[in-house]
Amino acid sequence: MARSLIPNTTWARRLIYELIYLSFGLNRTGMFNVGFAPARPDIRANPAFADRPNQIQLYAEMFDRLPWEADRWRRSDCLELAAGCGGGLLYLNTHRAPRTSIGVEQSNVAVWRARRLGVDVRQGHVARLAFEDEQFDCVFCADAVGYFPVAAALNEAFRVMRPGGYLLLAESFHGSREAARNHFHRIGEAAGFDLLDCHDATDGVRRSLVEGGKRSSFVQRLPGALRDSLKETLFLEGSERLRLWQTGAYSFVIVTFRRPP
Ligand SMILES: C[S@@+](CC[C@H](N)C(=O)[O-])C[C@H]1O[C@@H](n2cnc3c(N)ncnc32)[C@H](O)[C@@H]1O
């Protein structure tokens, strides 16, 4: 089976992400996650999100899990881990209007692209957050936990979060929804968080991957090995990773944690 282009070594993975974000056209938001389908009409109709509506919808699903009224959002300070090019923060700012929002992201190209979108993403490592203790009410992360040392990152998320604050993780898991719940419960608890909810978003993510897999005509024109690796990286039609999703080997959960008040 061809392997995904995202390598396991930290420096190589970082380089690949720089290249991925460089390869995106300048008029694109630069979103890079599995997505959730169908995207709501207001997201599809927004020109800022028109190129990647399912990827923005994944953020909408995540923020919906937080039991906050509009007023609570307006008094909140939010931090995104591995924010990519900032499309999720743009959605957060326009639809929830928190008091402040900041992202941390390892890729310099992504940080540069996020600035063009008008959101505050800073270059950094999620396991070494350059923030004071107890500064944020909500910390969130979409489709990135598998790429960094999760225990160290959750310890940092706990440190920078105010008591009573929330952590949202939207993440895929190779296994059942119950196994995912147990896994995230364990790693969240180790960092000091209480697990409040583990929401199953598998169906919507699978629909998004199947939709996205069909929009791949340029990949078919590439030479053999590169084409096969890209197919795996992007879950395209005919890839083993998409097949595993379709046969139910993967689940996708949105996990809500709370730092005890
Ligand atoms: C699948 S992408 C998701 C990006 C973004 N959340 C989105 O939905 O578009 C994973 C992201 O994690 C970032 N990343 C990986 N390891 C990181 C680390 N140690 N610190 C900060 N960002 C990291 C990558 O550069 C990449 O932008």
Side-chain angles (χ1 to χ4, degrees), residues 36-106:
F36 184 101
R40 289 175 200 155
D42 65 310
I43 291 179
R44 276 186 274 133
N46 187 332
F49 306 134
D51 66 322
R52 304 291 275 165
N54 292 350
Q55 281 59 37
I56 292 292
Q57 182 65 39
L58 187 71
Y59 280 88
E61 298 292 324
M62 186 164 60
F63 299 138
D64 282 353
R65 307 310 304 165
L66 213 50
W68 281 359
E69 302 292 333
D71 177 57
R72 181 68 187 87
W73 278 107
R74 274 194 293 274
R75 289 184 284 109
S76 70
D77 301 306
C78 299
L79 172 69
E80 178 169 11
L81 306 179
C85 302
L89 283 169
L90 183 62
Y91 176 82
L92 174 74
N93 292 347
T94 48
H95 285 73
R96 309 286 171 152
R99 179 168 51 204
T100 64
S101 70
I102 301 176
V104 170
E105 164 58 46
Q106 67 174 359

Side-chain angles (χ1 to χ4, degrees), residues 6 37 103:
I6 312 288

Side-chain angles (χ1 to χ4, degrees), residues 13 17 21 30-33 59 80-85 104-107 124-126 142-144 147-149:
R13 191 184 296 145
Y17 269 112
Y21 289 134
M31 304 299 299
F32 195 64
N33 66 49
Y59 280 88
E80 178 169 11
L81 306 179
C85 302
V104 170
E105 164 58 46
Q106 67 174 359
S107 156
H125 194 295
V126 293
D143 195 15
Y147 297 122
F148 49 70

Side-chain angles (χ1 to χ4, degrees), residues 105-200:
E105 164 58 46
Q106 67 174 359
S107 156
N108 285 303
V109 177
V111 169
W112 173 77
R113 295 186 70 114
R115 294 217 173 109
R116 293 182 77 236
L117 276 188
V119 295
D120 183 356
V121 175
R122 302 174 188 181
Q123 201 281 331
H125 194 295
V126 293
R128 295 185 291 278
L129 296 175
F131 301 109
E132 303 289 319
D133 294 356
E134 302 184 5
Q135 225 184 301
F136 298 98
D137 303 287
C138 174
V139 178
F140 59 95
C141 182
D143 195 15
V145 165
Y147 297 122
F148 49 70
V150 65
L154 293 198
N155 286 338
E156 277 294 81
F158 187 93
R159 180 183 68 74
V160 301
M161 187 182 294
R162 296 191 175 109
Y166 289 84
L167 169 69
L168 298 168
L169 299 181
E171 197 55 43
S172 51
F173 185 80
H174 195 167
S176 67
R177 185 243 179 224
E178 286 68 35
R181 187 185 193 286
N182 292 339
H183 169 76
F184 285 108
H185 187 197
R186 202 170 45 249
I187 60 174
E189 201 175 52
F193 290 106
D194 293 334
L195 181 122
L196 297 189
D197 181 46
C198 182
H199 174 73
D200 187 1

